[in-house]
Amino acid sequence: MTRTAHVLLIDQVADWEAGHLLAELNTGRFIGEPWKVVSVAASDQPVSTMGGLRWLPDITIAELDPTESDLLIMPGGVGWQPGQEEPFVAVAKQFLNAGVPVAAICGATEALARAGLLDNRPHTAAAKEALEATGYKGGEHYLDQRAVAADGLVTAGPQSPVQFARATLDMLGLMSDEVLEAYEALFHRGDPSAFPVLMSI
């Protein structure tokens, strides 16, 4: 059965932050089989991205059911602010409580921090100071790493879209250690010697 990833589209979503992850899931080129990628927004109206595009969501938050998903992706963006983020954070909490993996990057991590969802689990973000500004209580669990996967949650900062993809694909068990290393070597470090490993899949 085809697995499904849901990606949240908050207003002014950061186009690029989940790009690597979405490309691998949707095409299946390095993971064996493609996933179904479903976009989710607060309403059925187009969502503007930081890059100036207008994305039409597939479904609304009200239609989203964790039992029908294998992954929730939370890209960053300008819209992660109190007053706008609450419905999206509530969905993330539902997914985590249901044992469905969640992957959050950049501004989405700050929203999770404001909601107390990072208080008791290892995590990272754009910077420790960015999370401290939210007033959260999880500072002792902050790790100065590109991406962190723990307790069914992947977190990363905006400077780490490749590591965000790698950590999520690893958490899902979709790539071997050798392929994961080659993936990061090629797409982050530009190492052409990694290309044959990926092409052999």
Side-chain angles (χ1 to χ4, degrees), residues 10-15 45-55:
I10 200 163
D11 186 45
Q12 292 293 300
V13 61
D15 317 49
Q45 296 302 301
V47 175
S48 296
T49 76
M50 289 181 70
L53 302 178
R54 287 173 64 79
W55 289 350

Side-chain angles (χ1 to χ4, degrees), residues 86-120:
E86 286 79 6
F88 297 90
V89 173
V91 164
K93 186 174 182 178
Q94 290 174 6
F95 270 66
L96 290 170
N97 288 342
V100 181
V102 173
I105 184 170
C106 191
T109 65
E110 295 171 27
L112 295 180
R114 279 188 286 271
L117 295 176
L118 301 184
D119 286 352
N120 299 299

Side-chain angles (χ1 to χ4, degrees), residues 1-7 21 25 31 33-38 40 64-73 95-96 98-103 152-154 168-169 171-174:
M1 179 181 294
T2 301
R3 287 190 274 183
T4 301
H6 288 89
V7 54
L21 176 58
L25 293 174
I31 62 175
E33 294 183 355
W35 284 42
K36 180 180 181 182
V37 175
V38 179
V40 185
L64 183 56
D65 184 348
T67 66
E68 298 177 355
S69 184
D70 298 285
L71 174 68
L72 181 69
I73 303 170
F95 270 66
L96 290 170
V100 181
V102 173
L153 175 66
V154 172
T168 305
L169 296 169
M171 180 175 68
L172 295 169
L174 297 177

Side-chain angles (χ1 to χ4, degrees), residues 13-201:
V13 61
D15 317 49
W16 68 95
E17 290 180 347
H20 289 279
L21 176 58
L22 292 173
E24 303 320 327
L25 293 174
N26 186 62
T27 65
R29 60 180 178 171
F30 302 133
I31 62 175
E33 294 183 355
W35 284 42
K36 180 180 181 182
V37 175
V38 179
S39 57
V40 185
S43 75
D44 60 3
Q45 296 302 301
V47 175
S48 296
T49 76
M50 289 181 70
L53 302 178
R54 287 173 64 79
W55 289 350
L56 186 65
D58 296 308
I59 64 172
T60 67
I61 284 178
E63 301 171 84
L64 183 56
D65 184 348
T67 66
E68 298 177 355
S69 184
D70 298 285
L71 174 68
L72 181 69
I73 303 170
M74 305 174 68
V78 177
W80 292 107
Q81 299 291 336
Q84 297 183 61
E85 67 191 25
E86 286 79 6
F88 297 90
V89 173
V91 164
K93 186 174 182 178
Q94 290 174 6
F95 270 66
L96 290 170
N97 288 342
V100 181
V102 173
I105 184 170
C106 191
T109 65
E110 295 171 27
L112 295 180
R114 279 188 286 271
L117 295 176
L118 301 184
D119 286 352
N120 299 299
R121 50 168 54 94
H123 61 273
T124 192
K128 187 174 185 179
E129 292 78 9
L131 293 186
E132 289 175 340
T134 69
Y136 90 131
K137 301 175 182 178
E140 65 183 294
H141 300 292
Y142 182 87
L143 299 174
D144 188 15
Q145 298 177 11
R146 288 281 196 163
V148 172
D151 301 331
L153 175 66
V154 172
T155 50
Q159 69 275 40
S160 305
V162 174
Q163 290 81 5
F164 178 64
R166 174 179 177 165
T168 305
L169 296 169
D170 186 22
M171 180 175 68
L172 295 169
L174 297 177
M175 287 184 181
S176 67
D177 290 343
E178 179 186 22
V179 175
L180 287 166
E181 178 56 34
Y183 183 82
E184 183 172 353
L186 181 63
F187 290 102
H188 177 67
R189 298 192 292 273
D191 182 356
S193 67
F195 195 74
V197 175
L198 297 176
M199 289 302 97
S200 67
I201 298 171

